[in-house]
Amino acid sequence: MSDFFFTPTVNSYDEPVFALTGAGIVTLAALIVLFVAAAIFIRQKKERSIRIATKQLVFSGVAMALAIVTSEIKFARLPFGGSVTLFSMLFIVLIGYWYGAAAGLMTGFAYGLLQFVFDPVFYTPLQLLVDYPLAFGALGLSGFFCNRKHGLIIGYLVGVFARYAFAFLSGVLFFSAYASDQSQIGIVLYSLGYNATYIAPEAAVTLILLAIPAVSKAMTRVRTLAKDQS
């Protein structure tokens, strides 16, 4: 069964990895559609409005497209994965901010799988799960704070920290061989530092941007449009 969905190969470091087969890519595409549909269905069932569901699909689709485009604008790329991008995490956080935690998590999972499609090579299925759907899905935790004062900033902090936690976990579990100090403390410090190197700068710049009054007002206006039921 595993040979049907993925096949053994080696990466640029001559390490044994797995790559998706055609059937695996089709299955992944189906999962992406399923997660997006689930996000739409959850809110449509709650609001009982096709118009609201259509608007959510449009806004979420645009946000995911912008996240993909800006994720390819990299200011720094680290050798073993991870890069500082042009606010790409913000666009996934926004979906949770607009439509709540359930929609944010589902579309975050879908976005994580979509990110994997661009480089469908992995070490183990668990590593794939942690690095992609769980790590990017965690950005949707912003939805738990969507109705709080300064909800976007709080949600962004929580979502990004959760993504960092999964990246840290992945570093300890799957990439510890790259640590110069192979002691347990050395591996932990390596993963903490390595993942902070690319997540922290992007988060800091994004928070500065969101703190600008004009940007904050614009984000509030966009949220109003995204949730408008008229």
Side-chain angles (χ1 to χ4, degrees), residues 129-151:
L129 181 66
V130 171
D131 275 340
Y132 291 96
L134 289 182
F136 289 103
L139 295 171
L141 291 172
S142 60
F144 285 111
F145 308 92
C146 60
N147 294 319
R148 293 183 56 176
K149 185 177 181 180
H150 306 302

mmCIF file of all heavy atoms in Angstrom, residues 129-151:
data_model
loop_
_atom_site.group_PDB
_atom_site.id
_atom_site.type_symbol
_atom_site.label_atom_id
_atom_site.label_comp_id
_atom_site.label_asym_id
_atom_site.label_seq_id
_atom_site.Cartn_x
_atom_site.Cartn_y
_atom_site.Cartn_z
ATOM 1 N N LEU A 129 3.293 14.848 8.794
ATOM 2 C CA LEU A 129 2.138 15.327 9.553
ATOM 3 C C LEU A 129 2.505 16.508 10.449
ATOM 4 O O LEU A 129 1.784 17.518 10.497
ATOM 5 C CB LEU A 129 1.582 14.181 10.395
ATOM 6 C CG LEU A 129 0.349 14.485 11.254
ATOM 7 C CD1 LEU A 129 -0.848 14.775 10.365
ATOM 8 C CD2 LEU A 129 0.045 13.321 12.189
ATOM 9 N N VAL A 130 3.631 16.409 11.156
ATOM 10 C CA VAL A 130 4.030 17.462 12.093
ATOM 11 C C VAL A 130 4.464 18.730 11.357
ATOM 12 O O VAL A 130 4.078 19.850 11.737
ATOM 13 C CB VAL A 130 5.176 16.966 13.001
ATOM 14 C CG1 VAL A 130 5.748 18.118 13.842
ATOM 15 C CG2 VAL A 130 4.680 15.849 13.911
ATOM 16 N N ASP A 131 5.226 18.579 10.280
ATOM 17 C CA ASP A 131 5.801 19.740 9.598
ATOM 18 C C ASP A 131 4.820 20.486 8.700
ATOM 19 O O ASP A 131 5.039 21.660 8.401
ATOM 20 C CB ASP A 131 7.000 19.313 8.754
ATOM 21 C CG ASP A 131 8.284 19.248 9.553
ATOM 22 O OD1 ASP A 131 8.344 19.874 10.628
ATOM 23 O OD2 ASP A 131 9.227 18.575 9.112
ATOM 24 N N TYR A 132 3.764 19.830 8.273
ATOM 25 C CA TYR A 132 2.875 20.474 7.309
ATOM 26 C C TYR A 132 1.453 20.708 7.841
ATOM 27 O O TYR A 132 1.156 21.830 8.262
ATOM 28 C CB TYR A 132 2.892 19.704 5.979
ATOM 29 C CG TYR A 132 4.224 19.834 5.280
ATOM 30 C CD1 TYR A 132 5.203 18.852 5.417
ATOM 31 C CD2 TYR A 132 4.531 20.953 4.510
ATOM 32 C CE1 TYR A 132 6.445 18.986 4.799
ATOM 33 C CE2 TYR A 132 5.758 21.097 3.880
ATOM 34 C CZ TYR A 132 6.712 20.102 4.024
ATOM 35 O OH TYR A 132 7.932 20.247 3.425
ATOM 36 N N PRO A 133 0.560 19.726 7.852
ATOM 37 C CA PRO A 133 -0.809 20.048 8.295
ATOM 38 C C PRO A 133 -0.906 20.508 9.743
ATOM 39 O O PRO A 133 -1.666 21.437 10.052
ATOM 40 C CB PRO A 133 -1.587 18.741 8.058
ATOM 41 C CG PRO A 133 -0.556 17.683 7.938
ATOM 42 C CD PRO A 133 0.658 18.337 7.371
ATOM 43 N N LEU A 134 -0.123 19.910 10.651
ATOM 44 C CA LEU A 134 -0.222 20.324 12.055
ATOM 45 C C LEU A 134 0.422 21.697 12.275
ATOM 46 O O LEU A 134 -0.150 22.567 12.937
ATOM 47 C CB LEU A 134 0.423 19.281 12.960
ATOM 48 C CG LEU A 134 -0.329 17.954 13.095
ATOM 49 C CD1 LEU A 134 0.400 17.020 14.062
ATOM 50 C CD2 LEU A 134 -1.760 18.182 13.578
ATOM 51 N N ALA A 135 1.618 21.883 11.725
ATOM 52 C CA ALA A 135 2.329 23.155 11.936
ATOM 53 C C ALA A 135 1.573 24.332 11.336
ATOM 54 O O ALA A 135 1.378 25.365 11.988
ATOM 55 C CB ALA A 135 3.739 23.065 11.344
ATOM 56 N N PHE A 136 1.132 24.191 10.099
ATOM 57 C CA PHE A 136 0.414 25.303 9.462
ATOM 58 C C PHE A 136 -1.030 25.373 9.932
ATOM 59 O O PHE A 136 -1.615 26.448 10.005
ATOM 60 C CB PHE A 136 0.493 25.170 7.939
ATOM 61 C CG PHE A 136 1.856 25.457 7.387
ATOM 62 C CD1 PHE A 136 2.691 24.424 6.994
ATOM 63 C CD2 PHE A 136 2.324 26.755 7.275
ATOM 64 C CE1 PHE A 136 3.960 24.681 6.491
ATOM 65 C CE2 PHE A 136 3.587 27.039 6.781
ATOM 66 C CZ PHE A 136 4.415 25.989 6.383
ATOM 67 N N GLY A 137 -1.613 24.223 10.248
ATOM 68 C CA GLY A 137 -2.963 24.236 10.801
ATOM 69 C C GLY A 137 -3.026 24.989 12.112
ATOM 70 O O GLY A 137 -4.039 25.629 12.426
ATOM 71 N N ALA A 138 -1.932 24.944 12.872
ATOM 72 C CA ALA A 138 -1.889 25.631 14.164
ATOM 73 C C ALA A 138 -2.090 27.134 14.024
ATOM 74 O O ALA A 138 -2.540 27.796 14.964
ATOM 75 C CB ALA A 138 -0.559 25.349 14.859
ATOM 76 N N LEU A 139 -1.789 27.689 12.853
ATOM 77 C CA LEU A 139 -2.012 29.122 12.644
ATOM 78 C C LEU A 139 -3.493 29.470 12.772
ATOM 79 O O LEU A 139 -3.853 30.597 13.104
ATOM 80 C CB LEU A 139 -1.493 29.535 11.265
ATOM 81 C CG LEU A 139 0.025 29.423 11.051
ATOM 82 C CD1 LEU A 139 0.376 29.660 9.587
ATOM 83 C CD2 LEU A 139 0.781 30.399 11.945
ATOM 84 N N GLY A 140 -4.355 28.483 12.527
ATOM 85 C CA GLY A 140 -5.795 28.706 12.640
ATOM 86 C C GLY A 140 -6.286 28.866 14.061
ATOM 87 O O GLY A 140 -7.454 29.224 14.286
ATOM 88 N N LEU A 141 -5.410 28.628 15.043
ATOM 89 C CA LEU A 141 -5.789 28.856 16.441
ATOM 90 C C LEU A 141 -6.140 30.316 16.692
ATOM 91 O O LEU A 141 -6.752 30.649 17.713
ATOM 92 C CB LEU A 141 -4.644 28.434 17.368
ATOM 93 C CG LEU A 141 -4.358 26.925 17.442
ATOM 94 C CD1 LEU A 141 -3.084 26.672 18.242
ATOM 95 C CD2 LEU A 141 -5.530 26.188 18.066
ATOM 96 N N SER A 142 -5.762 31.172 15.757
ATOM 97 C CA SER A 142 -6.118 32.594 15.864
ATOM 98 C C SER A 142 -7.628 32.766 16.011
ATOM 99 O O SER A 142 -8.100 33.745 16.594
ATOM 100 C CB SER A 142 -5.642 33.343 14.618
ATOM 101 O OG SER A 142 -6.243 32.799 13.448
ATOM 102 N N GLY A 143 -8.388 31.809 15.483
ATOM 103 C CA GLY A 143 -9.841 31.921 15.527
ATOM 104 C C GLY A 143 -10.424 31.910 16.926
ATOM 105 O O GLY A 143 -11.539 32.401 17.137
ATOM 106 N N PHE A 144 -9.693 31.368 17.894
ATOM 107 C CA PHE A 144 -10.199 31.358 19.270
ATOM 108 C C PHE A 144 -10.215 32.762 19.884
ATOM 109 O O PHE A 144 -10.825 32.975 20.927
ATOM 110 C CB PHE A 144 -9.342 30.437 20.140
ATOM 111 C CG PHE A 144 -9.600 28.972 19.905
ATOM 112 C CD1 PHE A 144 -8.651 28.173 19.302
ATOM 113 C CD2 PHE A 144 -10.811 28.402 20.276
ATOM 114 C CE1 PHE A 144 -8.886 26.819 19.081
ATOM 115 C CE2 PHE A 144 -11.065 27.050 20.059
ATOM 116 C CZ PHE A 144 -10.094 26.257 19.455
ATOM 117 N N PHE A 145 -9.545 33.696 19.239
ATOM 118 C CA PHE A 145 -9.436 35.054 19.794
ATOM 119 C C PHE A 145 -10.072 36.089 18.873
ATOM 120 O O PHE A 145 -9.863 37.294 19.058
ATOM 121 C CB PHE A 145 -7.955 35.393 20.014
ATOM 122 C CG PHE A 145 -7.222 34.355 20.818
ATOM 123 C CD1 PHE A 145 -6.554 33.310 20.188
ATOM 124 C CD2 PHE A 145 -7.231 34.389 22.201
ATOM 125 C CE1 PHE A 145 -5.902 32.332 20.924
ATOM 126 C CE2 PHE A 145 -6.580 33.418 22.945
ATOM 127 C CZ PHE A 145 -5.923 32.389 22.303
ATOM 128 N N CYS A 146 -10.868 35.623 17.912
ATOM 129 C CA CYS A 146 -11.376 36.526 16.881
ATOM 130 C C CYS A 146 -12.313 37.596 17.431
ATOM 131 O O CYS A 146 -12.464 38.658 16.821
ATOM 132 C CB CYS A 146 -12.058 35.733 15.776
ATOM 133 S SG CYS A 146 -13.469 34.747 16.328
ATOM 134 N N ASN A 147 -12.959 37.338 18.560
ATOM 135 C CA ASN A 147 -13.906 38.315 19.110
ATOM 136 C C ASN A 147 -13.344 39.082 20.301
ATOM 137 O O ASN A 147 -14.086 39.800 20.987
ATOM 138 C CB ASN A 147 -15.202 37.608 19.512
ATOM 139 C CG ASN A 147 -15.934 37.042 18.308
ATOM 140 O OD1 ASN A 147 -16.008 37.686 17.262
ATOM 141 N ND2 ASN A 147 -16.450 35.821 18.438
ATOM 142 N N ARG A 148 -12.069 38.944 20.568
ATOM 143 C CA ARG A 148 -11.447 39.661 21.677
ATOM 144 C C ARG A 148 -10.831 40.967 21.198
ATOM 145 O O ARG A 148 -10.521 41.129 20.011
ATOM 146 C CB ARG A 148 -10.368 38.804 22.334
ATOM 147 C CG ARG A 148 -10.907 37.581 23.050
ATOM 148 C CD ARG A 148 -9.827 36.805 23.750
ATOM 149 N NE ARG A 148 -9.073 37.611 24.691
ATOM 150 C CZ ARG A 148 -8.119 37.134 25.497
ATOM 151 N NH1 ARG A 148 -7.820 35.839 25.469
ATOM 152 N NH2 ARG A 148 -7.477 37.918 26.331
ATOM 153 N N LYS A 149 -10.679 41.901 22.111
ATOM 154 C CA LYS A 149 -9.988 43.140 21.784
ATOM 155 C C LYS A 149 -8.558 42.807 21.385
ATOM 156 O O LYS A 149 -7.900 41.986 22.034
ATOM 157 C CB LYS A 149 -9.999 44.076 23.001
ATOM 158 C CG LYS A 149 -9.403 45.451 22.711
ATOM 159 C CD LYS A 149 -9.505 46.341 23.937
ATOM 160 C CE LYS A 149 -8.925 47.729 23.645
ATOM 161 N NZ LYS A 149 -9.011 48.627 24.846
ATOM 162 N N HIS A 150 -8.091 43.428 20.316
ATOM 163 C CA HIS A 150 -6.771 43.131 19.747
ATOM 164 C C HIS A 150 -6.678 41.648 19.379
ATOM 165 O O HIS A 150 -5.617 41.026 19.477
ATOM 166 C CB HIS A 150 -5.649 43.489 20.726
ATOM 167 C CG HIS A 150 -5.699 44.900 21.233
ATOM 168 N ND1 HIS A 150 -5.664 45.994 20.389
ATOM 169 C CD2 HIS A 150 -5.796 45.396 22.495
ATOM 170 C CE1 HIS A 150 -5.731 47.108 21.100
ATOM 171 N NE2 HIS A 150 -5.816 46.779 22.384
ATOM 172 N N GLY A 151 -7.810 41.093 18.925
ATOM 173 C CA GLY A 151 -7.872 39.667 18.627
ATOM 174 C C GLY A 151 -6.922 39.221 17.538
ATOM 175 O O GLY A 151 -6.399 38.105 17.589
#
